[in-house]
Amino acid sequence: MATAGWALVGCDQPTEVADPATEQAAVSNDGTARTSAPAAYTIDWSSVASGEKPADRSTYEYPFAIDSQNVLDYAEYFDMDAATAQHNLTISMAGNEALSKALDQLSETYVSHELTDGNEMTLVIHTTPDVAASTYDYVLSDDFAKGLVLPIVIQPDGKKGEVKAHGEMAE
């Protein structure tokens, strides 16, 4: 009877194992070989850019009134002022514009994404470890949120979201 051994490692940080076929060898001064991991894929932010100019948040005409029930509920739920809630609510509804442009380049390296709630809403895109970490301030171009800025962070940590798959039970 043959047995197979499986090792499961649990940690928050990804473990990288270099593929020898893609490593680049070099020789140090003492004649011993050393290796370095292949260069990471870098997203081309110039092809993601919308070409829009950033709007002034203090004079921006949001699609939601600052005293609307949606804004007040959002502010209460996330414990923030109404102006920040109004801004975040608008950005969250328009954020797919930026995400879709980034995904055009990330393809199979995309793992998951999330929008952070707080004083500075950010789109965090989790990728495989072979993508270079980077940030970019995306200016939305759709009329709904035209000119508002959504910071994007590429995080090559392989992290999947907390959402359970259909039929999967939470423990």
Side-chain angles (χ1 to χ4, degrees):
M1 174 187 227
T3 60
W6 294 89
L8 298 177
V9 179
C11 65
D12 290 337
Q13 299 300 319
T15 302
E16 290 187 40
V17 177
D19 178 0
T22 60
E23 287 189 44
Q24 300 172 355
V27 178
S28 64
N29 291 340
D30 65 0
T32 59
R34 62 176 187 208
T35 59
S36 61
Y41 173 77
T42 304
I43 192 165
D44 176 10
W45 291 114
S46 66
S47 67
V48 174
S50 68
E52 288 295 324
K53 300 271 189 238
D56 179 0
R57 278 178 66 170
S58 66
T59 60
Y60 193 83
E61 293 186 35
Y62 287 92
F64 304 102
I66 198 161
D67 60 350
S68 69
Q69 193 61 52
N70 289 343
V71 170
L72 297 176
D73 289 346
Y74 192 99
E76 181 181 347
Y77 185 82
F78 290 106
D79 192 28
M80 61 182 55
D81 62 89
T84 301
Q86 180 187 43
H87 178 77
N88 287 2
L89 188 57
T90 305
I91 291 284
S92 68
M93 294 184 76
N96 280 340
E97 173 188 326
L99 178 62
S100 66
K101 287 186 175 186
L103 290 180
D104 285 344
Q105 289 187 52
L106 293 171
S107 187
E108 292 87 32
T109 63
Y110 167 82
V111 176
S112 67
H113 71 277
E114 61 188 301
L115 280 172
T116 63
D117 289 295
N119 290 331
E120 186 70 37
M121 179 170 271
T122 302
L123 172 61
V124 179
I125 302 174
H126 302 279
T127 66
T128 57
D130 56 337
V131 177
S134 61
T135 61
Y136 180 73
D137 286 336
Y138 181 81
V139 182
L140 295 160
S141 63
D142 185 68
D143 287 340
F144 186 77
K146 190 174 195 163
L148 295 179
V149 177
L150 173 60
I152 302 173
V153 174
I154 301 294
Q155 245 177 275
D157 58 6
K159 178 182 172 186
K160 291 193 181 211
E162 299 297 321
V163 178
K164 298 290 182 194
H166 180 70
E168 187 176 346
M169 299 289 289
E171 292 185 18

